[in-house]
Each structure stands twice: as structure tokens, then as C-alpha cells.
Amino acid sequence: MSNRYVIILAAGKGTRMKSKLYKVLHPVAGKAMVDHVLTQVEKMKPAIVETVIGSGAEKVRDLLGDRTKYALQEEQLGTAHAVLQTEDVLADKEGTTLIVNGDTPLFTAETFEKLFNYHEKQQAAVTILTAHADNPFGYGRMVRGVDGSVSKIVEQKDATDEELKIQEINTGVLCFDNKLLFDNLHNVKNDNAQGEYYLPDLIGMFKKQNKKVSAYQMADLSESMGVNDRVALSHAEKLMQTRINEFHMREGVTIIDPNNTYIDADVKIGSDTVIEPNVKIFGKTVIGSNCLIGSGSRLEKAVIEDNVKIISSTIESAIMHEGSDIGPNSHLRPKAEIGKEVHVGNFCEIKNAKIGDRTKVGHLTYVGDATLGTDINVGCGVVFVNYDGVKKWHSNIGDHSFIGSNSNIVAPVEMSDHSFIAAGSTITNDIPKHAMAIARQRQTNKEDFWDRLPLSKSEDWE
């Protein structure tokens, strides 16, 4: 096997996207299109990967970092001109170069590997990646000779009636003998309507030089989808979601309604986890085994350990440890950590707080900027009052404590182990061990208050 190199073309402006966001940075399943391409390329471990950037160059650099080399195409003068920008790095190299567009997020490493292998076996100057299309309208057709050799690529508008019947189409991905590629790039002309230098023009040059031009037909046309507008972006998203969901199901995850389940590309899910309909899982979320992710839940950058139950809740940048449960209709905000076998019930919000093992936060409660120990009972309607308008303050609640319903804990408060807060209290001071804090006015009953009301004699009140 010869040395292998990859050039990713990612310099186009993408005006048809009608967006301020650079085209190849538009996400598909939570990952920028160019990142999808690079991720698949990296699986093959090529000797050099170089990405040609132009509009929005710095944003692409910021995203991809040092995973690739970069070449700047200051003016977008066509694909051959784009490849020429990599000359300083690649021109003197012996080996094979794959050229792929950065707006084709569905290609897989397996397809690229098969193309490389076929090209090297054929010892061709260039190999064109093709596919079968039941409806080839709009695609360039692969015209072959009677012996199966490649004669030419003909575009839709230039094809004869007979050529229009051809169903093998050009995907735009090319594999070159690297030395022949750069020896001929300077000879590409721009005598066309667009005044640009086109990479496929090299095919005609090689034919005239009696160099071998071959073609490899891939199995799945959908992989080759290029994204040029929002309609194509939505189609790519759908295809990627189908691929992702099928992968997880084959790995032992139950997805009840794949058509209404959205899982980003970098999500990891353990076996025997069940995902109900209308669930959305984003970012680098990790979900363990034997979990239930209930309908309507949304998880983003979350860590969910084994045997966790989430019912119709939102988890963002938070951790749920083994055996815990939450919901329905609760919200874990960033830096929330839920311990083992913790119960968080309905309509709770937890932010920048750690809940110790086996603690129960039943319902209608806000816990912010606090550390709760183990085996605590938090009653209904408890509020951790953590913000004074200028600064956030932290409270610590000891193990085996009891917080009565409708209590307010005005931070900072230190509540010792085995201590209590009576229902309806507003706590501003620390509570020692074994003590019960009561912070509410004693009840006073006003006798005959009914008679003082102006409407007390009204029939409506009787």
C-alpha cells in the first residue's frame, strides 16, 4: 500500500444556504459537515490531511484545530485551483491522494477505503467514485467503453439522448496518483463560462496522455449527497439520523419510534436502554445500560450512568449517577450532579448543586448552588435562595437531614447532619446537629373576622 493523502475542499462561500454561517460549518446531527468528513478520513490514518479553506477560514480552523493542515484559497477560482493551494505540502510526495468536498457529510471511511484500494489495484492515474442512481437527472453521467473502461464524464446539459439513459453518475470524489496530479494541475485552463479551473478537466488530459482512468462504483448513492441549500441540509439530517438510530439499535438499544427520535453523532448509549418517542439527545452525551429515557426528554452534554430513569425532563451538562431517577417535567441545569439512587420528582430545577446518594427531592423545588449530603428528605416547594442580586452563595446540607415543605434556605447556610427544618420556615442561620430550626411567626387566630367583611351578609357569601 502506497502513502495516502487526503485533500478536503472547504473554501466555497455557500451562497445558496443564505446564511451568515459558513456552509461547511452547518451542523448535521450536531456536528459540522466538514467535521463529519474529517472524522471519517481520520479513521483511515492517512499520512497527511490538508483542508482547503477560504471564506470563514478562521472559524474552520477554530473548529478542526490541529487535526488537519490548512491551505488558504483567497479567491474561489474552481476546484483545480483549490487543490493547487496544497502544492507546497503535497507536490513532491509519492502516493495516492483522495479529494473530497467538505459539504458531503454522509461519506463513510469504509467507502473511502474501498476507493483507495481499488485505485491502487488498478494502478490508475485517477479513479472516479461513482454510484448507481435510479433517477440520474442533474448528475454527470459516466460514459464507458464496451470493455468497461471510462471514456468520459458528460454533464446533464451536454448529454445525448442515449447518454441521458446512463444511470452511473459521478459523485465528485476523485483518487489521484499524487505526482501525476500535481504535474498536470498547472495545465488546467479556465476557458469556460464561469472562468474557473475545474478538477475533472484532468480526466481528459490523462486520456490524451494514455494514462489509465478508472471508476469505482460505490454501493449507496445517498452517501454522496452534497449540501448546497437548506432543503438538502434537511435531507442529509434525515439520512444521518436514520444511520445513527440504526447503529444504536444494532448495538442493543431499544428505540421505540426511530422516526421521532433525534440523536447526535457523538452520543454513546449502552445496551438495553429504552428510548421512547420524541426524545432529543445532543452533543457528547453518554448514557449507560438499562436506562429509560422517557418521551419528551431532552439531553445535552449529559452523563447518565446505568439504571437511570428520566421521564419527560431536560438534562444539560449534568450528571446522573447509577439508579437515580427524575421527572416528569424537571430540569437539571449545568453542573448538577445527582447521586446514586437519588429521586428527583416533578417540577424540580437543580443547578450547580450536588445531591448525595439516596436523597429525595420530591416536587416543586429549586436547588441552586448547594451541596446536599446523603439520605436527606427535601419537602415540597423548598427553595434554595442563592442569589442576592450581585453574587451567588452556596449552602451545605448534612447527611440524614430533613427539610420541611415550603421552606426557604437563604444562602449561605450550613445545616449539620441529622438536623431538621420545620415546614414553612425561612432559614438564614446555620443549624447545629440534631437541632430543629423553626423560622416562622406563631399562628394567631382573629375571632369573628367574618363579621368584619363588607360582603359577609351577602347571599353570595352564604
Side-chain angles (χ1 to χ4, degrees), residues 333 351-352 366-370 383-395 409-413:
R333 290 170 57 192
K351 186 269 304 181
N352 191 29
Y366 171 70
V367 183
D369 296 281
V383 176
F384 281 74
V385 186
N386 58 329
Y387 184 47
D388 63 5
V390 177
K391 182 180 177 181
K392 300 289 180 69
W393 297 90
H394 196 90
S395 291
I409 300 171
V410 183
V413 167

Side-chain angles (χ1 to χ4, degrees), residues 110-185:
E110 290 78 9
T111 294
F112 291 151
E113 184 73 31
K114 289 175 180 178
L115 177 60
F116 265 123
N117 292 338
Y118 184 85
H119 172 83
E120 290 165 356
K121 183 178 180 180
Q122 294 293 313
Q123 297 182 320
V126 59
T127 300
I128 306 153
L129 182 63
T130 71
H132 175 86
D134 290 334
N135 178 13
F137 181 83
Y139 289 99
R141 310 301 206 277
M142 296 300 306
V143 181
R144 294 178 181 262
V146 292
D147 60 351
S149 62
V150 175
S151 298
K152 62 179 179 179
I153 301 174
V154 61
E155 298 303 321
Q156 171 87 25
K157 62 181 183 298
D158 300 320
T160 65
D161 290 343
E162 201 60 32
E163 289 168 341
L164 287 174
K165 297 176 183 178
I166 296 172
Q167 293 182 300
E168 185 182 13
I169 58 94
N170 173 29
T171 68
V173 177
L174 299 163
C175 222
F176 285 94
D177 177 286
N178 189 70
K179 291 290 288 182
L180 287 174
L181 169 63
F182 285 97
D183 286 346
N184 285 273
L185 266 179

Side-chain angles (χ1 to χ4, degrees), residues 5 61 109-110 144 154 225 329 346 369:
Y5 316 101
R61 286 179 183 269
E110 290 78 9
R144 294 178 181 262
V154 61
M225 175 183 285
N329 302 309
N346 54 297
D369 296 281

Side-chain angles (χ1 to χ4, degrees), residues 295-330:
S295 180
S297 295
R298 177 187 176 100
L299 282 63
E300 182 171 0
K301 299 177 183 176
V303 175
I304 310 299
E305 293 187 350
D306 297 344
N307 303 301
V308 168
K309 185 177 181 179
I310 299 170
I311 304 300
S312 303
S313 294
T314 297
I315 319 293
E316 52 177 329
S317 301
I319 300 172
M320 294 186 68
H321 289 291
E322 185 173 358
S324 58
D325 68 271
I326 187 170
N329 302 309
S330 286

Side-chain angles (χ1 to χ4, degrees), residues 63 78 160 374:
L63 174 69
T160 65
T374 62

